Amino acid sequence: FWEARDWVRDKLSFDNVGAVSVFETTIRSLGGLLSAYDWSGDPVFLQKADDLGSRLIHAFDSPNEMPYEQTELNKRHSFNAPWLQNKVKLAEIGTLQLEFRCLSRATKKPIYAEKVNRVF
């Protein structure tokens, strides 16, 4: 556990990551960090989750407040794949609620929950 925790603390960085799927990154990376924090109580995992969440949340800055499918973690640029156009996948955006509400509760930063609650 400690070796993995130290790797997350010392080496996990989102600074040099380009475009990612908001859905996949939320359920796997953000969800994983939040789960590790929930199980261990170690603030390292919450700090990294907050960092990742603050980068992913920009995907919700769309005209209709529905999240874009992709976002660049090191920029404030979010977009949909060309084939998706201005549509959203309901199954994907619906499941984002869990992680972002959990992140809001754990960090005491309401912005995460406020953004995802606008979806429904």
Side-chain angles (χ1 to χ4, degrees):
F1 169 81
W2 299 112
E3 183 179 346
R5 191 279 315 257
D6 291 349
W7 185 90
V8 167
R9 182 192 64 211
D10 300 335
K11 301 204 189 265
L12 181 61
S13 171
F14 307 110
D15 292 337
N16 297 313
V17 178
V20 298
S21 163
V22 173
F23 168 72
E24 296 293 344
T25 305
T26 299
I27 67 166
R28 299 180 197 294
S29 300
L30 183 59
L33 289 165
L34 289 168
S35 294
Y37 170 70
D38 193 47
W39 279 89
S40 69
D42 194 311
V44 165
F45 298 110
L46 183 58
Q47 291 163 356
K48 291 294 184 173
D50 189 23
D51 178 26
L52 180 57
S54 71
R55 296 165 188 259
L56 288 169
I57 204 69
H58 300 299
F60 289 83
D61 294 338
S62 69
N64 62 8
E65 298 182 328
M66 296 292 150
Y68 289 105
E69 181 203 24
Q70 308 233 341
T71 194
E72 294 186 23
L73 295 182
N74 57 356
K75 298 180 183 174
R76 292 187 112 185
H77 177 68
S78 300
F79 55 94
N80 284 335
W83 64 269
L84 195 57
Q85 298 172 353
N86 291 330
K87 298 174 181 77
V88 295
K89 297 181 224 167
L90 291 178
E92 287 189 5
I93 65 171
T95 61
L96 301 177
Q97 307 275 320
L98 177 67
E99 289 85 3
F100 280 100
R101 287 179 181 171
C102 180
L103 183 58
S104 230
R105 186 191 75 234
T107 61
K108 297 183 179 25
K109 294 179 180 177
I111 187 67
Y112 298 121
E114 290 168 359
K115 292 272 189 173
V116 297
N117 288 341
R118 292 183 189 139
V119 172
F120 291 101

PDB file of all heavy atoms in Angstrom, residues 54-84:
ATOM      1  N   SER A  54     -10.668  18.958 -10.799  1.00  0.00           N
ATOM      2  CA  SER A  54     -10.630  20.360 -11.217  1.00  0.00           C
ATOM      3  C   SER A  54     -10.286  20.488 -12.699  1.00  0.00           C
ATOM      4  O   SER A  54     -10.623  21.498 -13.330  1.00  0.00           O
ATOM      5  CB  SER A  54      -9.616  21.151 -10.375  1.00  0.00           C
ATOM      6  OG  SER A  54      -8.289  20.789 -10.686  1.00  0.00           O
ATOM      7  N   ARG A  55      -9.664  19.493 -13.250  1.00  0.00           N
ATOM      8  CA  ARG A  55      -9.350  19.496 -14.680  1.00  0.00           C
ATOM      9  C   ARG A  55     -10.516  18.940 -15.502  1.00  0.00           C
ATOM     10  O   ARG A  55     -10.787  19.422 -16.598  1.00  0.00           O
ATOM     11  CB  ARG A  55      -8.079  18.677 -14.939  1.00  0.00           C
ATOM     12  CG  ARG A  55      -6.841  19.279 -14.282  1.00  0.00           C
ATOM     13  CD  ARG A  55      -5.702  18.263 -14.261  1.00  0.00           C
ATOM     14  NE  ARG A  55      -4.574  18.722 -13.483  1.00  0.00           N
ATOM     15  CZ  ARG A  55      -3.460  19.230 -13.992  1.00  0.00           C
ATOM     16  NH1 ARG A  55      -3.325  19.362 -15.299  1.00  0.00           N
ATOM     17  NH2 ARG A  55      -2.469  19.597 -13.222  1.00  0.00           N
ATOM     18  N   LEU A  56     -11.171  17.931 -14.978  1.00  0.00           N
ATOM     19  CA  LEU A  56     -12.298  17.321 -15.686  1.00  0.00           C
ATOM     20  C   LEU A  56     -13.546  18.203 -15.682  1.00  0.00           C
ATOM     21  O   LEU A  56     -14.345  18.161 -16.622  1.00  0.00           O
ATOM     22  CB  LEU A  56     -12.655  15.970 -15.050  1.00  0.00           C
ATOM     23  CG  LEU A  56     -11.688  14.823 -15.269  1.00  0.00           C
ATOM     24  CD1 LEU A  56     -12.046  13.659 -14.352  1.00  0.00           C
ATOM     25  CD2 LEU A  56     -11.713  14.383 -16.728  1.00  0.00           C
ATOM     26  N   ILE A  57     -13.731  18.983 -14.646  1.00  0.00           N
ATOM     27  CA  ILE A  57     -14.969  19.740 -14.473  1.00  0.00           C
ATOM     28  C   ILE A  57     -15.194  20.743 -15.594  1.00  0.00           C
ATOM     29  O   ILE A  57     -16.329  21.139 -15.869  1.00  0.00           O
ATOM     30  CB  ILE A  57     -15.026  20.403 -13.073  1.00  0.00           C
ATOM     31  CG1 ILE A  57     -16.468  20.683 -12.658  1.00  0.00           C
ATOM     32  CG2 ILE A  57     -14.180  21.657 -13.020  1.00  0.00           C
ATOM     33  CD1 ILE A  57     -17.272  19.460 -12.374  1.00  0.00           C
ATOM     34  N   HIS A  58     -14.125  21.141 -16.286  1.00  0.00           N
ATOM     35  CA  HIS A  58     -14.265  22.093 -17.388  1.00  0.00           C
ATOM     36  C   HIS A  58     -15.074  21.510 -18.545  1.00  0.00           C
ATOM     37  O   HIS A  58     -15.579  22.256 -19.377  1.00  0.00           O
ATOM     38  CB  HIS A  58     -12.898  22.570 -17.869  1.00  0.00           C
ATOM     39  CG  HIS A  58     -12.123  23.255 -16.794  1.00  0.00           C
ATOM     40  ND1 HIS A  58     -12.570  24.407 -16.179  1.00  0.00           N
ATOM     41  CD2 HIS A  58     -10.949  22.931 -16.198  1.00  0.00           C
ATOM     42  CE1 HIS A  58     -11.694  24.772 -15.262  1.00  0.00           C
ATOM     43  NE2 HIS A  58     -10.706  23.897 -15.246  1.00  0.00           N
ATOM     44  N   ALA A  59     -15.190  20.194 -18.586  1.00  0.00           N
ATOM     45  CA  ALA A  59     -15.994  19.565 -19.640  1.00  0.00           C
ATOM     46  C   ALA A  59     -17.463  19.970 -19.524  1.00  0.00           C
ATOM     47  O   ALA A  59     -18.214  19.875 -20.495  1.00  0.00           O
ATOM     48  CB  ALA A  59     -15.868  18.048 -19.568  1.00  0.00           C
ATOM     49  N   PHE A  60     -17.878  20.440 -18.362  1.00  0.00           N
ATOM     50  CA  PHE A  60     -19.266  20.852 -18.151  1.00  0.00           C
ATOM     51  C   PHE A  60     -19.518  22.292 -18.589  1.00  0.00           C
ATOM     52  O   PHE A  60     -20.642  22.766 -18.523  1.00  0.00           O
ATOM     53  CB  PHE A  60     -19.657  20.693 -16.675  1.00  0.00           C
ATOM     54  CG  PHE A  60     -19.792  19.265 -16.253  1.00  0.00           C
ATOM     55  CD1 PHE A  60     -18.683  18.533 -15.880  1.00  0.00           C
ATOM     56  CD2 PHE A  60     -21.032  18.649 -16.247  1.00  0.00           C
ATOM     57  CE1 PHE A  60     -18.796  17.205 -15.496  1.00  0.00           C
ATOM     58  CE2 PHE A  60     -21.161  17.324 -15.860  1.00  0.00           C
ATOM     59  CZ  PHE A  60     -20.045  16.600 -15.498  1.00  0.00           C
ATOM     60  N   ASP A  61     -18.495  22.980 -19.030  1.00  0.00           N
ATOM     61  CA  ASP A  61     -18.641  24.374 -19.462  1.00  0.00           C
ATOM     62  C   ASP A  61     -19.083  24.435 -20.927  1.00  0.00           C
ATOM     63  O   ASP A  61     -18.397  24.985 -21.781  1.00  0.00           O
ATOM     64  CB  ASP A  61     -17.326  25.135 -19.262  1.00  0.00           C
ATOM     65  CG  ASP A  61     -16.963  25.273 -17.801  1.00  0.00           C
ATOM     66  OD1 ASP A  61     -17.864  25.182 -16.953  1.00  0.00           O
ATOM     67  OD2 ASP A  61     -15.765  25.455 -17.507  1.00  0.00           O
ATOM     68  N   SER A  62     -20.229  23.870 -21.202  1.00  0.00           N
ATOM     69  CA  SER A  62     -20.797  23.868 -22.550  1.00  0.00           C
ATOM     70  C   SER A  62     -22.019  24.778 -22.556  1.00  0.00           C
ATOM     71  O   SER A  62     -22.551  25.113 -21.488  1.00  0.00           O
ATOM     72  CB  SER A  62     -21.189  22.452 -22.960  1.00  0.00           C
ATOM     73  OG  SER A  62     -22.298  22.011 -22.204  1.00  0.00           O
ATOM     74  N   PRO A  63     -22.490  25.179 -23.719  1.00  0.00           N
ATOM     75  CA  PRO A  63     -23.660  26.074 -23.770  1.00  0.00           C
ATOM     76  C   PRO A  63     -24.895  25.521 -23.059  1.00  0.00           C
ATOM     77  O   PRO A  63     -25.654  26.268 -22.457  1.00  0.00           O
ATOM     78  CB  PRO A  63     -23.921  26.238 -25.274  1.00  0.00           C
ATOM     79  CG  PRO A  63     -22.601  25.980 -25.908  1.00  0.00           C
ATOM     80  CD  PRO A  63     -21.919  24.951 -25.040  1.00  0.00           C
ATOM     81  N   ASN A  64     -25.085  24.199 -23.107  1.00  0.00           N
ATOM     82  CA  ASN A  64     -26.262  23.610 -22.459  1.00  0.00           C
ATOM     83  C   ASN A  64     -25.924  22.919 -21.134  1.00  0.00           C
ATOM     84  O   ASN A  64     -26.757  22.242 -20.558  1.00  0.00           O
ATOM     85  CB  ASN A  64     -26.956  22.634 -23.409  1.00  0.00           C
ATOM     86  CG  ASN A  64     -26.077  21.475 -23.797  1.00  0.00           C
ATOM     87  OD1 ASN A  64     -24.984  21.285 -23.262  1.00  0.00           O
ATOM     88  ND2 ASN A  64     -26.537  20.682 -24.754  1.00  0.00           N
ATOM     89  N   GLU A  65     -24.702  23.087 -20.662  1.00  0.00           N
ATOM     90  CA  GLU A  65     -24.199  22.534 -19.397  1.00  0.00           C
ATOM     91  C   GLU A  65     -24.114  21.010 -19.375  1.00  0.00           C
ATOM     92  O   GLU A  65     -23.860  20.415 -18.344  1.00  0.00           O
ATOM     93  CB  GLU A  65     -25.000  23.057 -18.202  1.00  0.00           C
ATOM     94  CG  GLU A  65     -24.889  24.563 -18.073  1.00  0.00           C
ATOM     95  CD  GLU A  65     -25.616  25.116 -16.872  1.00  0.00           C
ATOM     96  OE1 GLU A  65     -26.645  24.555 -16.462  1.00  0.00           O
ATOM     97  OE2 GLU A  65     -25.131  26.119 -16.330  1.00  0.00           O
ATOM     98  N   MET A  66     -24.331  20.371 -20.523  1.00  0.00           N
ATOM     99  CA  MET A  66     -24.090  18.939 -20.654  1.00  0.00           C
ATOM    100  C   MET A  66     -22.599  18.780 -20.913  1.00  0.00           C
ATOM    101  O   MET A  66     -22.019  19.531 -21.700  1.00  0.00           O
ATOM    102  CB  MET A  66     -24.873  18.344 -21.828  1.00  0.00           C
ATOM    103  CG  MET A  66     -26.366  18.423 -21.677  1.00  0.00           C
ATOM    104  SD  MET A  66     -26.901  17.330 -20.348  1.00  0.00           S
ATOM    105  CE  MET A  66     -28.343  18.220 -19.807  1.00  0.00           C
ATOM    106  N   PRO A  67     -21.951  17.827 -20.277  1.00  0.00           N
ATOM    107  CA  PRO A  67     -20.499  17.726 -20.439  1.00  0.00           C
ATOM    108  C   PRO A  67     -20.102  17.298 -21.852  1.00  0.00           C
ATOM    109  O   PRO A  67     -20.786  16.494 -22.480  1.00  0.00           O
ATOM    110  CB  PRO A  67     -20.097  16.666 -19.420  1.00  0.00           C
ATOM    111  CG  PRO A  67     -21.322  15.844 -19.232  1.00  0.00           C
ATOM    112  CD  PRO A  67     -22.474  16.789 -19.391  1.00  0.00           C
ATOM    113  N   TYR A  68     -19.028  17.870 -22.308  1.00  0.00           N
ATOM    114  CA  TYR A  68     -18.435  17.400 -23.552  1.00  0.00           C
ATOM    115  C   TYR A  68     -17.876  16.001 -23.318  1.00  0.00           C
ATOM    116  O   TYR A  68     -17.553  15.620 -22.191  1.00  0.00           O
ATOM    117  CB  TYR A  68     -17.303  18.328 -23.991  1.00  0.00           C
ATOM    118  CG  TYR A  68     -17.775  19.670 -24.482  1.00  0.00           C
ATOM    119  CD1 TYR A  68     -17.632  20.810 -23.699  1.00  0.00           C
ATOM    120  CD2 TYR A  68     -18.356  19.801 -25.740  1.00  0.00           C
ATOM    121  CE1 TYR A  68     -18.048  22.051 -24.162  1.00  0.00           C
ATOM    122  CE2 TYR A  68     -18.782  21.038 -26.211  1.00  0.00           C
ATOM    123  CZ  TYR A  68     -18.620  22.156 -25.419  1.00  0.00           C
ATOM    124  OH  TYR A  68     -19.039  23.376 -25.875  1.00  0.00           O
ATOM    125  N   GLU A  69     -17.719  15.263 -24.383  1.00  0.00           N
ATOM    126  CA  GLU A  69     -17.238  13.889 -24.272  1.00  0.00           C
ATOM    127  C   GLU A  69     -15.743  13.835 -23.940  1.00  0.00           C
ATOM    128  O   GLU A  69     -15.290  12.936 -23.237  1.00  0.00           O
ATOM    129  CB  GLU A  69     -17.496  13.144 -25.586  1.00  0.00           C
ATOM    130  CG  GLU A  69     -17.048  11.707 -25.523  1.00  0.00           C
ATOM    131  CD  GLU A  69     -16.767  11.121 -26.892  1.00  0.00           C
ATOM    132  OE1 GLU A  69     -16.481  11.864 -27.844  1.00  0.00           O
ATOM    133  OE2 GLU A  69     -16.798   9.900 -26.971  1.00  0.00           O
ATOM    134  N   GLN A  70     -14.977  14.786 -24.414  1.00  0.00           N
ATOM    135  CA  GLN A  70     -13.539  14.781 -24.220  1.00  0.00           C
ATOM    136  C   GLN A  70     -13.083  16.109 -23.635  1.00  0.00           C
ATOM    137  O   GLN A  70     -13.722  17.143 -23.864  1.00  0.00           O
ATOM    138  CB  GLN A  70     -12.833  14.566 -25.558  1.00  0.00           C
ATOM    139  CG  GLN A  70     -13.335  13.363 -26.299  1.00  0.00           C
ATOM    140  CD  GLN A  70     -12.237  12.421 -26.707  1.00  0.00           C
ATOM    141  OE1 GLN A  70     -11.078  12.793 -26.760  1.00  0.00           O
ATOM    142  NE2 GLN A  70     -12.599  11.200 -26.976  1.00  0.00           N
ATOM    143  N   THR A  71     -11.985  16.053 -22.901  1.00  0.00           N
ATOM    144  CA  THR A  71     -11.389  17.273 -22.391  1.00  0.00           C
ATOM    145  C   THR A  71      -9.876  17.097 -22.339  1.00  0.00           C
ATOM    146  O   THR A  71      -9.393  15.972 -22.214  1.00  0.00           O
ATOM    147  CB  THR A  71     -11.938  17.663 -21.002  1.00  0.00           C
ATOM    148  OG1 THR A  71     -11.580  19.008 -20.708  1.00  0.00           O
ATOM    149  CG2 THR A  71     -11.444  16.755 -19.897  1.00  0.00           C
ATOM    150  N   GLU A  72      -9.173  18.191 -22.476  1.00  0.00           N
ATOM    151  CA  GLU A  72      -7.718  18.161 -22.345  1.00  0.00           C
ATOM    152  C   GLU A  72      -7.376  18.539 -20.911  1.00  0.00           C
ATOM    153  O   GLU A  72      -7.739  19.622 -20.447  1.00  0.00           O
ATOM    154  CB  GLU A  72      -7.079  19.128 -23.343  1.00  0.00           C
ATOM    155  CG  GLU A  72      -7.312  18.696 -24.775  1.00  0.00           C
ATOM    156  CD  GLU A  72      -6.569  19.542 -25.779  1.00  0.00           C
ATOM    157  OE1 GLU A  72      -5.549  20.168 -25.410  1.00  0.00           O
ATOM    158  OE2 GLU A  72      -7.015  19.566 -26.933  1.00  0.00           O
ATOM    159  N   LEU A  73      -6.705  17.652 -20.226  1.00  0.00           N
ATOM    160  CA  LEU A  73      -6.451  17.852 -18.799  1.00  0.00           C
ATOM    161  C   LEU A  73      -5.499  18.997 -18.504  1.00  0.00           C
ATOM    162  O   LEU A  73      -5.539  19.564 -17.423  1.00  0.00           O
ATOM    163  CB  LEU A  73      -5.915  16.562 -18.164  1.00  0.00           C
ATOM    164  CG  LEU A  73      -6.874  15.380 -18.132  1.00  0.00           C
ATOM    165  CD1 LEU A  73      -6.219  14.207 -17.423  1.00  0.00           C
ATOM    166  CD2 LEU A  73      -8.186  15.749 -17.467  1.00  0.00           C
ATOM    167  N   ASN A  74      -4.656  19.330 -19.445  1.00  0.00           N
ATOM    168  CA  ASN A  74      -3.698  20.397 -19.176  1.00  0.00           C
ATOM    169  C   ASN A  74      -4.105  21.718 -19.820  1.00  0.00           C
ATOM    170  O   ASN A  74      -3.327  22.648 -19.849  1.00  0.00           O
ATOM    171  CB  ASN A  74      -2.295  19.985 -19.632  1.00  0.00           C
ATOM    172  CG  ASN A  74      -2.251  19.611 -21.102  1.00  0.00           C
ATOM    173  OD1 ASN A  74      -3.274  19.583 -21.768  1.00  0.00           O
ATOM    174  ND2 ASN A  74      -1.081  19.310 -21.601  1.00  0.00           N
ATOM    175  N   LYS A  75      -5.337  21.781 -20.331  1.00  0.00           N
ATOM    176  CA  LYS A  75      -5.865  23.015 -20.914  1.00  0.00           C
ATOM    177  C   LYS A  75      -7.327  23.137 -20.508  1.00  0.00           C
ATOM    178  O   LYS A  75      -7.888  22.221 -19.926  1.00  0.00           O
ATOM    179  CB  LYS A  75      -5.777  22.976 -22.442  1.00  0.00           C
ATOM    180  CG  LYS A  75      -4.379  22.871 -22.977  1.00  0.00           C
ATOM    181  CD  LYS A  75      -4.410  22.829 -24.482  1.00  0.00           C
ATOM    182  CE  LYS A  75      -3.008  22.653 -25.041  1.00  0.00           C
ATOM    183  NZ  LYS A  75      -3.046  22.477 -26.478  1.00  0.00           N
ATOM    184  N   ARG A  76      -7.931  24.219 -20.855  1.00  0.00           N
ATOM    185  CA  ARG A  76      -9.364  24.376 -20.605  1.00  0.00           C
ATOM    186  C   ARG A  76     -10.108  24.207 -21.921  1.00  0.00           C
ATOM    187  O   ARG A  76     -10.909  25.040 -22.298  1.00  0.00           O
ATOM    188  CB  ARG A  76      -9.652  25.740 -19.998  1.00  0.00           C
ATOM    189  CG  ARG A  76      -9.102  25.876 -18.601  1.00  0.00           C
ATOM    190  CD  ARG A  76      -9.543  27.144 -17.977  1.00  0.00           C
ATOM    191  NE  ARG A  76     -10.448  26.803 -16.889  1.00  0.00           N
ATOM    192  CZ  ARG A  76     -11.111  27.678 -16.178  1.00  0.00           C
ATOM    193  NH1 ARG A  76     -10.998  28.949 -16.421  1.00  0.00           N
ATOM    194  NH2 ARG A  76     -11.900  27.279 -15.219  1.00  0.00           N
ATOM    195  N   HIS A  77      -9.826  23.124 -22.626  1.00  0.00           N
ATOM    196  CA  HIS A  77     -10.432  22.874 -23.920  1.00  0.00           C
ATOM    197  C   HIS A  77     -11.173  21.538 -23.873  1.00  0.00           C
ATOM    198  O   HIS A  77     -10.564  20.505 -23.600  1.00  0.00           O
ATOM    199  CB  HIS A  77      -9.373  22.851 -25.011  1.00  0.00           C
ATOM    200  CG  HIS A  77      -9.914  22.517 -26.363  1.00  0.00           C
ATOM    201  ND1 HIS A  77     -10.752  23.356 -27.048  1.00  0.00           N
ATOM    202  CD2 HIS A  77      -9.740  21.432 -27.143  1.00  0.00           C
ATOM    203  CE1 HIS A  77     -11.079  22.801 -28.201  1.00  0.00           C
ATOM    204  NE2 HIS A  77     -10.467  21.626 -28.278  1.00  0.00           N
ATOM    205  N   SER A  78     -12.471  21.580 -24.100  1.00  0.00           N
ATOM    206  CA  SER A  78     -13.289  20.376 -24.126  1.00  0.00           C
ATOM    207  C   SER A  78     -14.060  20.339 -25.435  1.00  0.00           C
ATOM    208  O   SER A  78     -14.373  21.381 -26.009  1.00  0.00           O
ATOM    209  CB  SER A  78     -14.254  20.358 -22.939  1.00  0.00           C
ATOM    210  OG  SER A  78     -13.537  20.390 -21.719  1.00  0.00           O
ATOM    211  N   PHE A  79     -14.407  19.142 -25.877  1.00  0.00           N
ATOM    212  CA  PHE A  79     -15.043  18.993 -27.182  1.00  0.00           C
ATOM    213  C   PHE A  79     -15.690  17.614 -27.297  1.00  0.00           C
ATOM    214  O   PHE A  79     -15.421  16.725 -26.487  1.00  0.00           O
ATOM    215  CB  PHE A  79     -14.015  19.188 -28.297  1.00  0.00           C
ATOM    216  CG  PHE A  79     -12.818  18.280 -28.162  1.00  0.00           C
ATOM    217  CD1 PHE A  79     -12.781  17.062 -28.818  1.00  0.00           C
ATOM    218  CD2 PHE A  79     -11.744  18.633 -27.363  1.00  0.00           C
ATOM    219  CE1 PHE A  79     -11.685  16.215 -28.678  1.00  0.00           C
ATOM    220  CE2 PHE A  79     -10.640  17.807 -27.224  1.00  0.00           C
ATOM    221  CZ  PHE A  79     -10.620  16.585 -27.888  1.00  0.00           C
ATOM    222  N   ASN A  80     -16.529  17.465 -28.293  1.00  0.00           N
ATOM    223  CA  ASN A  80     -17.104  16.172 -28.629  1.00  0.00           C
ATOM    224  C   ASN A  80     -16.377  15.597 -29.831  1.00  0.00           C
ATOM    225  O   ASN A  80     -15.884  16.345 -30.679  1.00  0.00           O
ATOM    226  CB  ASN A  80     -18.594  16.293 -28.962  1.00  0.00           C
ATOM    227  CG  ASN A  80     -19.442  16.478 -27.733  1.00  0.00           C
ATOM    228  OD1 ASN A  80     -19.060  16.090 -26.636  1.00  0.00           O
ATOM    229  ND2 ASN A  80     -20.604  17.080 -27.896  1.00  0.00           N
ATOM    230  N   ALA A  81     -16.356  14.290 -29.929  1.00  0.00           N
ATOM    231  CA  ALA A  81     -15.830  13.647 -31.126  1.00  0.00           C
ATOM    232  C   ALA A  81     -16.713  14.073 -32.301  1.00  0.00           C
ATOM    233  O   ALA A  81     -17.919  14.299 -32.121  1.00  0.00           O
ATOM    234  CB  ALA A  81     -15.853  12.131 -30.959  1.00  0.00           C
ATOM    235  N   PRO A  82     -16.130  14.200 -33.483  1.00  0.00           N
ATOM    236  CA  PRO A  82     -16.913  14.668 -34.632  1.00  0.00           C
ATOM    237  C   PRO A  82     -18.187  13.868 -34.885  1.00  0.00           C
ATOM    238  O   PRO A  82     -19.226  14.435 -35.220  1.00  0.00           O
ATOM    239  CB  PRO A  82     -15.936  14.537 -35.805  1.00  0.00           C
ATOM    240  CG  PRO A  82     -14.585  14.611 -35.185  1.00  0.00           C
ATOM    241  CD  PRO A  82     -14.724  13.984 -33.822  1.00  0.00           C
ATOM    242  N   TRP A  83     -18.137  12.574 -34.675  1.00  0.00           N
ATOM    243  CA  TRP A  83     -19.325  11.753 -34.947  1.00  0.00           C
ATOM    244  C   TRP A  83     -20.442  12.006 -33.929  1.00  0.00           C
ATOM    245  O   TRP A  83     -21.605  11.770 -34.204  1.00  0.00           O
ATOM    246  CB  TRP A  83     -18.965  10.273 -34.981  1.00  0.00           C
ATOM    247  CG  TRP A  83     -18.461   9.736 -33.675  1.00  0.00           C
ATOM    248  CD1 TRP A  83     -17.172   9.674 -33.256  1.00  0.00           C
ATOM    249  CD2 TRP A  83     -19.237   9.202 -32.614  1.00  0.00           C
ATOM    250  NE1 TRP A  83     -17.089   9.146 -31.995  1.00  0.00           N
ATOM    251  CE2 TRP A  83     -18.351   8.839 -31.575  1.00  0.00           C
ATOM    252  CE3 TRP A  83     -20.605   8.991 -32.413  1.00  0.00           C
ATOM    253  CZ2 TRP A  83     -18.782   8.285 -30.388  1.00  0.00           C
ATOM    254  CZ3 TRP A  83     -21.026   8.426 -31.219  1.00  0.00           C
ATOM    255  CH2 TRP A  83     -20.119   8.080 -30.219  1.00  0.00           C
ATOM    256  N   LEU A  84     -20.093  12.513 -32.773  1.00  0.00           N
ATOM    257  CA  LEU A  84     -21.095  12.764 -31.732  1.00  0.00           C
ATOM    258  C   LEU A  84     -21.790  14.108 -31.929  1.00  0.00           C
ATOM    259  O   LEU A  84     -22.925  14.291 -31.492  1.00  0.00           O
ATOM    260  CB  LEU A  84     -20.419  12.700 -30.354  1.00  0.00           C
ATOM    261  CG  LEU A  84     -21.307  12.593 -29.138  1.00  0.00           C
ATOM    262  CD1 LEU A  84     -22.225  11.387 -29.209  1.00  0.00           C
ATOM    263  CD2 LEU A  84     -20.466  12.521 -27.884  1.00  0.00           C
TER     264      LEU A  84
END
